[in-house]
Amino acid sequence: MSTNTPVGTAARPLRVAVVGSGPAGVYAADILTKSEAVKSGELTVSIDLFDRYPAPYGLIRYGVAPDHPRIKGIVNALHKVLDRGDIRFFGNVDYGTDLSIEDLRTHYDAVIFATGAIKDADLNIPGIELEGSYGGADFVSWYDGHPDVSREWPLNAREIAVIGNGNVALDVARMLSKHADDLLVSEIPENVYAGLKSSPVTDVHVFGRRGPAQVKFTPLELRELAHSKDVDIILYPEDFEFDEESDRQVQSNNQTKTMVGTLTNWIAEQPEDLSELKASRRLHLHFLHSPVEVYDDASTPGRVAGIKFERTELDGTGNARGTGEYVDYPVQAVYRAIGYFGSALPEVEFDHKKGVVPNDGGRVLDAAGSRIPGLYATGWIKRGPVGLIGHTKGDALETVTYLLEDRGNLPLAAAPAPETIVELLDARGVQFTSWEGWLALDAHERSLGEKATAEAAGNGVALTRERVKVVPRENMVSISRDGVAASV
């Protein structure tokens, strides 16, 4: 189709590629389709959503613990957007491998990067490289059945340290301490269930550098800890320190007040003699601990044998400072969960200190700080891995607003016809999946859940499994593509 045709009309819609089909990418596509310019008929758009994984939803499928009750609601909302049929989904397409920036710019007038962040932030302390020291994000990927992660995970530690006081740290700690049988109601893959079932863990310790009023997790995450069966939660009175800033935060922030209230209630109800606690597993919450060193010992050289912390104290501003007092904990595994970090995108400038694509409100910048026409970013790759999933809506709105402002000055695609990108992927032998393919995979996973439910009933166990997640990439692709072929 000639690029002389006015862009944004029925004859030549504005062609937009979104790279990443997690909440950030789906929200951006949805906001663009619902913009006033589109609703009024002033503009028409044609949007293709690309993901390196065969299935959509990004962080929701591969970054949130499977026992979270809120997952279903978010998935349902994203499903409704993609099921409308006005946004095409291309799964199993890796930007930088299957498609280059030149390819995208040839076929689209604008590109929005929404690739998120999947790596662990570094924790630069001695011994962090020892065997038995892991990234929390890597563990999350394993228990969520990420197709590019080994299906095996070393779960042989009885005592475990989790470093971090955010939602991911609590997810990791809960999954490590929770009994595997209690996770069967979720969609965890069979290999994850088998691994957790064999775990000998007895104690999981979660450590935060500051006090109870400075934690970064949410009330929902905290309360979920108390829902684990046969797991006692243990807190320590010496960790409950509040300075002037803590008091201000408690009085001015309802979320902080709720969490501090929950924690103080728990410790008030805790027996003075901890031997009265009879659960087979214990989840310890520690505050005012700053990690100093992970160490091994003569009996296990090269393997984690313990972790050293410096006790901290609050300085009146809500921050913590060292006290010069050190404490050791014998553990056989350490998980760092101090945050995620973005990954560089091929052929796009990257800020390696912040882990983001440099941008001005979502407009991607080059090395000199100048805007690159037609390139945009949203979500964690735009602003860093902070905030809750809902925050990505406002983020996407900002980016889409700028894209719409720029639409008269975008570098027009040379080959904008929708079928040309399909022809390109086919010519390169890319086994891409579609939305219809996801529906086939979704139905397959649900059938696995029905089968597991029936098998449990046959064994006299009352268990309902809505789905069982498929893990191997090749299986996901074949089920998706075969399902579409069978329906044609």
Side-chain angles (χ1 to χ4, degrees), residues 45 52 54 270 273 293 301-302 351 373 378-379 423 425 442 464 477 487:
V45 294
R52 63 179 300 191
Q270 182 174 290
D273 183 359
E293 177 188 11
D351 187 329
T378 191
E423 293 168 356
L425 293 173
D442 179 50
T464 300
V477 171
S487 65

Side-chain angles (χ1 to χ4, degrees), residues 138-379:
D138 291 337
F139 182 58
V140 172
S141 293
W142 174 76
Y143 67 59
D144 271 333
H146 194 295
D148 298 335
V149 173
S150 170
R151 300 191 68 187
E152 306 298 324
W153 189 272
L155 289 163
N156 44 28
R158 297 180 63 85
E159 299 159 301
I160 299 172
V162 178
I163 303 170
N165 255 183
N167 285 340
V168 175
L170 290 195
D171 278 354
V172 168
R174 191 180 67 258
M175 291 295 291
L176 286 167
S177 60
K178 198 167 187 175
H179 290 277
D181 285 350
D182 294 330
L183 289 164
L184 280 176
V185 295
S186 74
E187 61 182 29
I188 64 166
E190 294 303 323
N191 66 296
V192 176
Y193 169 73
L196 293 172
K197 181 72 172 177
S198 66
S199 171
V201 65
T202 59
D203 292 84
V204 177
H205 299 261
V206 182
F207 296 94
R209 187 174 58 85
R210 296 187 292 171
Q214 286 78 44
V215 296
K216 296 298 184 182
F217 42 75
T218 57
L220 175 62
E221 298 279 350
L222 181 61
R223 288 168 176 159
E224 282 183 3
L225 297 183
H227 298 158
S228 295
K229 299 175 184 176
D230 191 36
V231 180
D232 283 326
I233 299 173
I234 299 178
L235 301 103
Y236 298 86
E238 63 269 24
D239 292 346
F240 280 72
E241 179 181 314
F242 300 91
D243 60 0
E244 293 178 7
E245 177 60 18
S246 299
D247 292 336
R248 188 197 68 78
Q249 290 172 341
V250 170
Q251 294 303 318
S252 62
N253 187 300
N254 286 333
Q255 179 167 296
T256 301
K257 180 184 293 185
T258 298
M259 289 188 293
V260 169
T262 298
L263 290 167
T264 52
N265 285 339
W266 283 356
I267 197 167
E269 297 167 358
Q270 182 174 290
E272 291 187 18
D273 183 359
L274 295 182
S275 66
E276 295 179 19
L277 298 174
K278 300 302 182 182
S280 66
R281 294 180 177 179
R282 292 162 292 280
L283 179 55
H284 308 254
L285 300 181
H286 303 269
F287 307 103
L288 303 173
H289 283 69
S290 181
V292 174
E293 177 188 11
V294 180
Y295 57 85
D296 57 4
D297 61 23
S299 64
T300 57
R303 281 196 55 82
V304 171
I307 183 168
K308 181 188 294 293
F309 291 89
E310 181 179 14
R311 291 304 308 260
T312 61
E313 62 184 6
L314 298 178
D315 64 2
T317 68
N319 291 313
R321 60 193 173 203
T323 64
E325 175 190 351
Y326 296 88
V327 58
D328 290 83
Y329 293 85
V331 296
Q332 301 82 50
V334 172
Y335 290 75
R336 66 186 185 279
I338 58 173
Y340 283 82
F341 200 77
S343 300
L345 296 169
E347 303 179 275
V348 180
E349 191 64 27
F350 192 71
D351 187 329
H352 290 274
K353 290 185 178 179
K354 297 180 179 179
V356 299
V357 169
N359 68 91
D360 178 12
R363 291 169 165 139
V364 172
L365 306 177
D366 62 18
S370 300
R371 295 175 185 168
I372 304 176
L375 295 191
Y376 301 86
T378 191

Side-chain angles (χ1 to χ4, degrees), residues 28-48:
D30 186 42
I31 289 171
L32 182 54
T33 62
K34 293 178 178 177
S35 64
E36 189 58 39
V38 173
K39 288 194 299 183
S40 67
E42 174 190 347
L43 175 72
T44 62
V45 294
S46 172
I47 304 173
D48 289 342

